[in-house]
Amino acid sequence: MENDMGLIVKTMARATIPLIGIFGAYVVSHGHLTPGGGFQGGATIAGAGILFLVAFGLNEAKKRYDKNLYSALEGLGGLAFLGAAMLGLSVAFFYNILWRDKIAFAGQPGTLLSAGFLPIMNLAVGLKVFTGLVSAMMAIALFRRWKK
Amino acid sequence: MNVLPFLIIIPLFGAFSMPLVKLISEKLRDIWAVIISAVTLGVATDVFYTIWKTNQIVVYTLGATTPLGKGVGFPIRIVWEVDLLGALIAVTIAFVSLLAIIYSLEYMKHDTGLDKYYTLILILELGMLGIVITGDIFNFYVFLEIMSIASYALVAFRNDTWEGIEAGIKYMFVGSLASSFILLGIALLYGQYGTLTMAYLSQYITREPTFVSKVALAFILGGLLFKSGAVPVHMWLADAHPAAPSSISAMLSGLVIKAGGVYAIARILFSIYSISLNIKAIGWIVIFFACLTLIVGNAMAVVQTDMKRLFAFSSVGQIGYILLGIGIGIAAYGTKVGDVALAGAIYHTVNHAIMKALLFLVAGAVLHQVGTKNLNELSGLARRMPLTSFAFLVGAAAIIGLPPLNGFASKWLIYESSALYNPFLAAIAILGTAFCTAAYIRVLFTFFGKESEKVKAAKDPGKAMVIPMILLIIAVIIMGLLPWQINDTIMLPTAKMLEESGKYVLAVLGG
């Protein structure tokens, strides 16, 4: 079944998908410094996935999408968030022990390696949002055809 | 160390790890769900026991040791604030969820996508536990949405049946509208007072009662009445409960309408608004909806031919009793009658969770073994499925309120207080019970009637479905044998604690 786009669209997609992905990764990893964060960055990266599906078609996307991998990664994202929140459980749930006790990610405020568990949580949320959105989109795209 | 955060951590951990556990083996996935919910029940019991023993409100701050900001006198962090009512409902939630999960081991065996099912059921439990422990109104909204969205998905879980999809769509559309009303109410409160902590909000509203706070209350109350299935907005319930898998119906009817509806109404009226408003008027508004719910819910139950639909309308009717108790508790605030009514409402919340879960598990067993829930085709089931029929008999007798079972004491408290407060209300309550009795007697006669063709090959279900039913029967009977002891040691202190909104405020802000 032909369900991919023309040559121009495909070529442009080849050029832009990495750029969208890199920009999304930037938004996720700078969530504690600039506007945006896990959700916005994750949704941006998922946008690259949607562009791939639309430009190259369902058959191509099916070959590169593994349901178990994506659902496992989504669970892993959630677990990482929960784990980061539990780090300071000896004081309180969501106690930012990495930052307060200067353990890791404890650099000068404003630099990349600051803000304690926030970058970890942003990465976790970004992973969860990306895998979740791509899985949802693939599930809808693979839904049984109009008739049958 | 305080165990309270584990009430959230454990179900969340279970839900997040489910897609990974599923990769190992399908058997492990089922056992994992049971283990997680059993541990949650342990934590909930521990929290309840601690609060009951010390008779103190437990406050837990997220992110620091104190809810107050540095150098200022007001709370800036999310607080979880659990009093006896919250802890009691948490134990009920964890108990019924555990039984529903054990029950689904066999009941859901023939369905596909079960790792999603167990993830959703743990998320549903998590949302309800969050609602009952939180002391922050926006956090409350988040947990309410977690609960609601999980229940939309679970109602439509069997998406190859037309009724699942229809009920799911109806529930989702109107449910999201109701949630957005609640969110609008919260936004108005935040705009007016600039805080989201319930305790501080209560103090603020008492100091400056504005028109906006009343509008916000109207929005929030409207949304919550929807979530509890009160009468003008009960239509989703009568579709959602029959269409959902029976283990989910048991949770929806036993827990979701209690945690997201009745509990939240009680919490917001008593802990936030009770000092500032004309509470008598609010009480009568709740009583008005309660009476409507009582009559319509129970009367509609009489004419149903679908067993699960009958139970769903009966749930609407029972919510009427609980709302009546809460309404009288507010209208007669601070008097003996108000105390008794409120204790009755809390008692009936727990009782109804147990007995309605039992009834829906019975309906699920019948549906699973016979393949129909149409009452016209089910006559003579008692000979083929004796244990299931006995479970139904116990559940039906308890819900009508026969003396040796648990429904008697809680309904008696509500009758007594409504008769003392206003005899007209008592008459309405009795009328509701008359309808309810008629509905269940009809089902009973079907069960014990002449054997029909359909049920010839039926037999009792396997262990995983029978054990939860037996545990619920035991709970119904034990709570029925010690009604006044339970009332005096648990329900009355719970009602007292809920009424003292001053203590609720001081627990966060400090004395």
Side-chain angles (χ1 to χ4, degrees), chain B residues 4-44:
Chain B
L4 184 58
F6 287 98
L7 211 51
I8 296 300
I9 291 172
I10 290 168
L12 207 53
F13 176 68
F16 283 154
S17 56
M18 197 61 78
L20 298 167
V21 172
K22 174 208 84 174
L23 293 179
I24 302 171
S25 90
E26 303 223 319
K27 189 98 188 152
L28 186 66
R29 170 197 73 194
D30 299 356
I31 298 167
W32 187 238
V34 174
I35 292 172
I36 291 286
S37 55
V39 175
T40 313
L41 176 62
V43 174

Side-chain angles (χ1 to χ4, degrees), chain A residues 67-68 71-76 78-79 82 86 89-96 100 128 144, chain B residues 1 5-6 8-9 12-13 16-17 19-20 22-23 60-65 77 80 116 159:
Chain A
K67 178 167 155 284
N68 282 336
S71 108
L73 279 179
E74 191 184 350
L76 216 58
L79 286 176
L82 190 64
M86 282 175 68
L89 205 58
S90 56
V91 182
F93 194 34
F94 278 98
Y95 182 77
N96 194 345
R100 307 257 182 125
K128 196 166 168 58
R144 57 172 183 267
Chain B
M1 197 167 74
F6 287 98
I8 296 300
I9 291 172
L12 207 53
F13 176 68
F16 283 154
S17 56
L20 298 167
K22 174 208 84 174
L23 293 179
Y60 188 87
T61 311
L62 270 71
T65 46
R77 300 188 172 89
W80 287 340
K116 265 84 176 173
N159 56 13

